[in-house]
Amino acid sequence: MSAIAPLAPQDHDEWMPLWRAYLEFYETELTDAQNELTFARLVSADDAVHGALIRDDAGAALGFVHWLTHPSTWSDGPYCYLEDLFVHPDARGTGAGESLIAHVREWARQNGSPKVYWLTQRTNARARRLYDRVAVDTGFVHYEIDLEVSGGSAS
């Protein structure tokens, strides 16, 4: 498998179709303005949200991962939240997802995070097989309250 590199402005046209496919998988739509804002934040050195692309040996983008850190009341160091992970359906089962998780894990380790965590839907069986290999299911159940702020809806 290929290389993983931080998202850069020139990745926009390859990232956007993957991002839209990810949103479609989760039956979510965001405004074009929110999609553009998300990408701008991911490539900004001044933002707390980070992103990376994985490419095949020919250089084609196969998937992405996005993450951020936040303070924790249970730790000196910030926790690392892996917010979005997507691998194109044609590239699933190739190790791309596991490589993207490993990329975030190493980034978090180098940046003082004591743990990386993420959420997924109970019904996302294929992804959960991967997650069960590389992480621990903590048994927590996720709840949220939508506050109807601008920018679209996402979970």
Side-chain angles (χ1 to χ4, degrees):
M1 174 90 25
S2 51
I4 298 175
L7 275 169
Q10 62 269 23
D11 296 324
H12 179 275
D13 292 348
E14 290 179 287
W15 174 85
M16 190 60 75
L18 293 169
W19 175 244
R20 291 189 189 280
Y22 173 75
L23 295 175
E24 184 178 320
F25 176 83
Y26 281 109
E27 299 176 354
T28 298
E29 289 186 26
L30 299 176
T31 65
D32 289 341
Q34 181 62 50
N35 292 331
E36 294 300 332
L37 175 62
T38 296
F39 185 78
R41 292 178 70 201
L42 288 164
V43 299
S44 171
D46 297 328
D47 205 285
V49 181
H50 308 278
L53 276 181
I54 188 167
R55 296 178 179 281
D56 66 16
D57 293 332
L62 301 175
F64 63 76
V65 64
H66 306 147
W67 69 95
L68 56 102
T69 61
H70 62 84
S72 169
T73 58
W74 289 23
S75 169
D76 290 344
Y79 285 174
C80 181
Y81 176 54
L82 191 161
E83 187 165 22
D84 307 306
L85 174 68
F86 182 77
V87 173
H88 189 280
D90 293 344
R92 292 182 185 154
T94 65
E98 189 166 352
S99 294
L100 288 165
I101 292 169
H103 178 80
V104 173
R105 183 179 59 233
E106 185 55 31
W107 182 95
R109 182 177 291 119
Q110 291 177 6
N111 286 275
S113 292
K115 79 173 172 182
V116 176
Y117 74 100
W118 61 92
L119 307 170
T120 195
Q121 291 179 330
R122 285 184 185 95
T123 58
N124 193 352
R126 184 166 190 164
R128 290 186 68 192
R129 284 192 296 275
L130 165 61
Y131 303 159
D132 287 343
R133 279 198 326 270
V134 301
V136 173
D137 179 348
T138 63
F140 279 85
V141 178
H142 175 81
Y143 293 89
E144 69 182 30
I145 299 171
D146 283 334
L147 300 176
E148 308 251 350
V149 296
S150 65
S153 65
S155 15

